[in-house]
Amino acid sequence: MSHRIVSVSVRDVRFPTSLEQHGSDAMHTDPDYSAAYVVLHTACGLRGFGLTFTLGKGTEIVVLAVEALADLVVGKSLQDIVKDFRGFYRLLTSDGQMRWLGPEKGVIQLATAAVLNAVWDLWARAEGKDPEQIVSCVDFRYITDVLTEKEALDILVGAQEEDRMMKEGYPAYTTSCAWLGYSDQQLKQLCTDALKSGWTKFKVKVGANLDDDIHRCRLIRQTIGPNNTLMIDANQRWDVAEAISWVTSLSEFKPLWIEEPTSPDDILGHAAISKALAPLGIGVATGEQCANRVMFKQFLQASALQFVQIDSCRLGSVNENLAVLLMAHKFQVPVCPHAGGVGLCELVQHLILFDYICVSASLSNRMCEYVDHLHEHFTSPVVIQNAHYMPPKDPGYSCEMLESSVQRHQYPEGDTWKLLMNK
């Protein structure tokens, strides 16, 4: 059967999460969780679904970037793409004119991720499999000085305790309880409810005001108790010296890590922060806005992070994330992916399962972020049981949205936005 791609459609889908301060942090005070939502249409009728996550304004720019990439995709057959997936990845990221706009950073990078996510979904649906079951796509050009192709292929041998993962799931932590814009009463109630549901790992947004951070961290630590895990996340708010001083002031609450303490591009700054906080037993986590696998390579070489945070819509889909997983394994740094937003949990569950089954075979210091928002808009929403991601059962990359939800939240013509704009 021919799986020739005949058209690419992309829509701007936004959810007004800012109305209730969901997703609010020190740098993003009023996010509307959104996505550039891509559908690949084939001659035989099979479709592939993909997306990239955004925060409202600017989604229309990513949509235009996807449309600019569409000419590189239309007319290609799925069979030819997967026969040389590395070549197809390079086609999208190495166009002689568009690469000047930044194929491995910025808007073009987000568009590339959306398109590649849709290709992976199409391939998985055609094969009746999950993306983590297919691994012939690594681009080794920029990782060979830390990991040879032979070493990488030696890692990717056989399954490791797949049966255990299918029964017990992958450990998760929650960010849903402690957005920066939530009131004290809301924080306490959400943490209490989460404890009753089996959650033991909690992340708190910090970085806007030190006194407020001390107050909120004390409240949450008192609520969750001394033995549960607490992480803090500054979303790039500080410079290096400020980060060290601020986190030192919060060290009494025993955070496992400080996430994104400074600019996501400042590798040596993260190294300095890591070195300064090590005596306090606090690690550095970053990566959700890391531009590409080359930067991850340098973060690892510089011992600039203790927890790798990949993102399913920031790098070039499975292709590039797989390279990062292999490098993290080489440096023995645990991977704890970023998730949440629109569809990030649905996508990243495949990456953590692949990491466990085919790369790390370890759950030591490993967990995946979970945010309890907007899953009801997907045809195969992520399943959480007792604070664990359960393996998905449906073929594909799990990011197909309900058409009714897409129509209702399409910006600006969807009914949700028409109603809000008329108020």
Side-chain angles (χ1 to χ4, degrees):
M1 183 178 293
S2 173
H3 296 304
R4 183 173 59 87
I5 299 169
V6 295
S7 66
V8 177
S9 62
V10 55
R11 287 184 280 181
D12 181 338
V13 182
R14 307 187 192 185
F15 298 88
T17 51
S18 62
L19 297 178
E20 296 181 283
Q21 289 288 285
H22 301 322
S24 55
D25 59 52
M27 294 293 281
H28 313 98
T29 56
D30 60 347
D32 284 327
Y33 279 176
S34 307
Y37 182 60
V38 175
V39 183
L40 304 181
H41 305 266
T42 68
C44 68
L46 187 67
R47 294 180 296 171
F49 301 86
L51 57 80
T52 196
F53 172 56
T54 56
L55 292 181
K57 294 176 184 176
T59 308
E60 70 278 9
I61 303 173
V62 184
V63 167
L64 291 174
V66 170
E67 292 173 345
L69 291 173
D71 286 344
L72 300 175
V73 180
V74 173
K76 297 286 190 301
S77 74
L78 179 62
Q79 292 83 350
D80 288 341
I81 289 173
V82 301
K83 189 182 300 182
D84 181 19
F85 214 142
R86 278 179 282 190
F88 180 72
Y89 168 82
R90 292 173 185 175
L91 175 69
L92 294 186
T93 58
S94 299
D95 180 88
Q97 295 182 4
M98 282 191 292
R99 75 178 313 277
W100 189 257
L101 303 177
E104 294 179 335
K105 60 185 177 181
V107 172
I108 294 294
Q109 175 200 45
L110 294 173
T112 300
V115 171
L116 283 171
N117 284 341
V119 171
W120 274 95
D121 184 67
L122 180 64
W123 187 12
R125 289 170 183 267
E127 296 292 324
K129 298 179 179 179
D130 301 323
E132 65 268 18
Q133 296 173 286
I134 313 168
V135 298
S136 57
C137 63
V138 187
D139 188 334
F140 291 96
R141 285 181 301 169
Y142 300 111
I143 68 172
T144 51
D145 56 336
V146 296
L147 184 74
T148 68
E149 187 162 358
K150 183 180 184 304
E151 286 177 312
L153 293 175
D154 285 344
I155 293 170
L156 298 173
V157 289
Q160 303 287 337
E161 301 184 66
E162 186 172 1
D163 289 342
R164 191 216 69 79
M165 182 58 59
M166 295 302 291
K167 294 176 182 176
E168 299 178 22
Y170 197 97
Y173 72 86
T174 179
T175 306
S176 301
C177 299
W179 298 115
L180 202 63
Y182 286 1
S183 67
D184 285 1
Q185 182 179 359
Q186 193 172 6
L187 293 176
K188 190 170 183 178
Q189 186 61 56
L190 288 171
C191 287
T192 300
D193 293 343
L195 287 167
K196 293 177 181 177
S197 298
W199 293 94
T200 61
K201 303 174 180 68
F202 299 79
K203 190 166 76 180
V204 183
K205 296 292 184 175
V206 298
N209 179 279
L210 179 56
D211 289 338
D212 184 55
D213 286 348
I214 292 172
H215 169 75
R216 295 169 76 254
C217 286
R218 177 172 289 116
L219 174 64
I220 292 175
R221 175 54 82 187
Q222 289 173 346
T223 303
I224 69 174
N227 297 322
N228 285 323
T229 304
L230 178 70
M231 292 83 71
I232 54 177
D233 182 0
N235 289 96
Q236 318 142 40
R237 180 63 182 261
W238 307 313
D239 62 28
V240 173
E242 189 178 21
I244 295 169
S245 173
W246 202 301
V247 177
T248 299
S249 297
L250 298 177
S251 62
E252 65 176 287
F253 305 109
K254 304 297 181 184
L256 175 65
W257 74 52
I258 171 60
E259 183 173 332
E260 289 198 309
T262 193
S263 167
D265 302 322
D266 190 354
I267 296 168
L268 296 183
H270 279 82
I273 295 168
S274 294
K275 183 177 181 180
L277 296 181
L280 299 175
I282 301 172
V284 169
T286 195
E288 72 178 74
Q289 292 206 34
C290 186
N292 51 61
R293 65 199 180 285
V294 183
M295 287 186 63
F296 272 110
K297 179 187 74 169
Q298 294 177 357
F299 269 109
L300 291 163
Q301 288 174 318
S303 300
L305 46 68
Q306 288 69 55
F307 299 91
V308 169
Q309 292 182 309
I310 58 173
D311 182 280
S312 56
C313 293
R314 179 66 57 176
L315 300 184
S317 191
V318 178
N319 309 60
E320 197 164 13
N321 272 306
L322 179 52
V324 176
L325 292 177
L326 292 168
M327 287 190 290
H329 179 78
K330 175 67 178 286
F331 283 89
Q332 292 298 290
V333 177
V335 176
C336 298
H338 168 247
V342 179
L344 297 186
C345 295
E346 279 69 24
L347 288 165
V348 83
Q349 62 182 329
H350 298 277
L351 300 177
I352 57 177
L353 290 174
F354 178 85
D355 182 43
Y356 177 75
I357 293 170
C358 297
V359 180
S360 69
S362 172
L363 294 179
S364 177
N365 274 332
R366 294 171 186 271
M367 53 184 146
C368 184
E369 184 172 23
Y370 176 72
V371 174
D372 191 16
H373 300 306
L374 307 177
H375 304 292
E376 67 275 15
H377 299 289
F378 289 84
T379 61
S380 298
V382 66
V383 175
I384 297 290
Q385 291 182 7
N386 195 32
H388 283 69
Y389 278 84
M390 301 308 296
K393 297 180 179 180
D394 297 331
Y397 206 2
S398 304
C399 55
E400 179 185 0
M401 298 179 71
L402 296 170
E403 180 59 25
S404 58
S405 290
V406 174
Q407 291 184 9
R408 193 164 60 252
H409 294 92
Q410 190 165 344
Y411 184 87
E413 60 268 31
D415 289 345
T416 294
W417 291 104
K418 285 182 180 178
L419 181 63
L420 287 171
M421 290 174 181
N422 290 329
K423 283 186 176 181

